[in-house]
Structure formats: structure tokens, C-alpha cells
Amino acid sequence: MRGLHADTGYLMYRLGLRSGQLFNTFLQESGLRLRHYALLRFLATSEGALQRELSTRLGYDPSAIVGLVDDLEKLGFAERRPSPDDRRSRIVVLTQDGRGFLRDTDEAGLRVTNELLAPLDATERETLHTLLQRVAEDGLT
């Protein structure tokens, strides 16, 4: 029988958990969690998105998106606006305060990544990132 650390899927799962724990610890002061951060990061790359698009793109249950957007609206980091394409629909957009929050967390996020990847040198980190992007593009789209 193979050990757990011989199973790539298990290692990815454990590293994902550890990464989430580290990010949640650094986000704790703001009252946000990794799911909020991921939603903000996605919104930073778009002009806004329908909640169902956020659910699909982030892989979160639609009911979870509603709560996450509610939380971000309360903090002033995101807001719902009428969709220019369909007035019955609302898009979620990042606010200036949300952009500021992301700028302020960039350094802390880098510290988390550096802690997680401390055993790797710069070349290994770049290789890992490239490989993960390739897997994500194929498996998460």
C-alpha cells in the first residue's frame, strides 16, 4: 500500500488546506476569509460579473456567492449594480475601497506564499506555478 505522501492528489489537497489556513489567518483581522479574497481578486480582473458567473468561475455554490457578496457590500468592497445588458439582472463590481483593500493585502499575500513555498528556490517556484497554471487551465475551466 502506498503512503499518503506518495499520492499527488492528496498532497495537493493538504497543501491547499495549508494555503487556505495561512491566508485565512492573515485575513482574520479584516473579518474576511479566503473565499471573500478570491471573489475580490476575480472582480479585480473584470468590469463586473453576474452572481451566477461568479459561482461558475470560482466553483462556489450560488447560495454561498449571495452571502459573500452581502459581506463585501457591508464592508464597501463590492456593490451590486444593474446590468447594462439586462436591467432585471445585477452585476457585482469591485469598489475603490475593494481595490484599496487588495493593494493593502498584496504584501501579506506574498508573505503567505513565501512561507508556504519556503522549501523551493525561485526556479522551482516558477516551475511549480507554471505547472499549476497548466493543470488549472485544463481542469478548472
Side-chain angles (χ1 to χ4, degrees):
M1 183 166 140
R2 296 183 323 159
L4 283 175
H5 288 177
D7 185 319
T8 303
Y10 177 76
L11 286 173
M12 289 174 56
Y13 166 75
R14 288 291 303 190
L15 289 171
L17 285 178
R18 180 68 180 135
S19 176
Q21 289 168 341
L22 291 171
F23 267 94
N24 280 329
T25 298
F26 114 75
L27 289 169
Q28 197 168 23
E29 289 179 22
S30 67
L32 298 180
R33 301 198 41 84
L34 184 55
R35 290 178 148 219
H36 295 99
Y37 183 80
L39 198 153
L40 288 171
R41 280 280 169 216
F42 179 82
L43 290 175
T45 65
S46 70
E47 295 295 319
L50 297 170
Q51 288 183 176
R52 68 178 166 268
E53 179 186 2
L54 292 171
S55 173
T56 301
R57 295 294 300 261
L58 296 172
Y60 298 162
D61 185 84
S63 63
I65 293 292
V66 172
L68 293 171
V69 173
D70 287 347
D71 294 344
L72 294 174
E73 274 193 314
K74 287 177 191 165
L75 292 168
F77 292 167
E79 65 184 22
R80 291 174 175 100
R81 295 182 183 163
S83 170
D85 301 327
D86 179 358
R87 295 181 79 58
R88 295 170 293 162
S89 296
R90 305 195 43 87
I91 58 170
V92 181
V93 297
L94 188 65
T95 64
Q96 284 304 109
D97 286 348
R99 288 186 195 289
F101 174 80
L102 287 175
R103 272 192 307 277
D104 293 345
T105 60
D106 281 345
E107 186 178 320
L110 186 58
R111 282 196 312 267
V112 167
T113 299
N114 286 336
E115 181 178 336
L116 186 66
L117 301 180
L120 304 179
D121 66 30
T123 302
E124 291 169 324
R125 288 178 186 206
E126 187 175 322
T127 299
L128 176 63
H129 187 84
T130 299
L131 293 171
L132 289 172
Q133 276 185 315
R134 198 163 73 199
V135 171
E137 287 170 4
D138 187 57
L140 299 178
T141 53

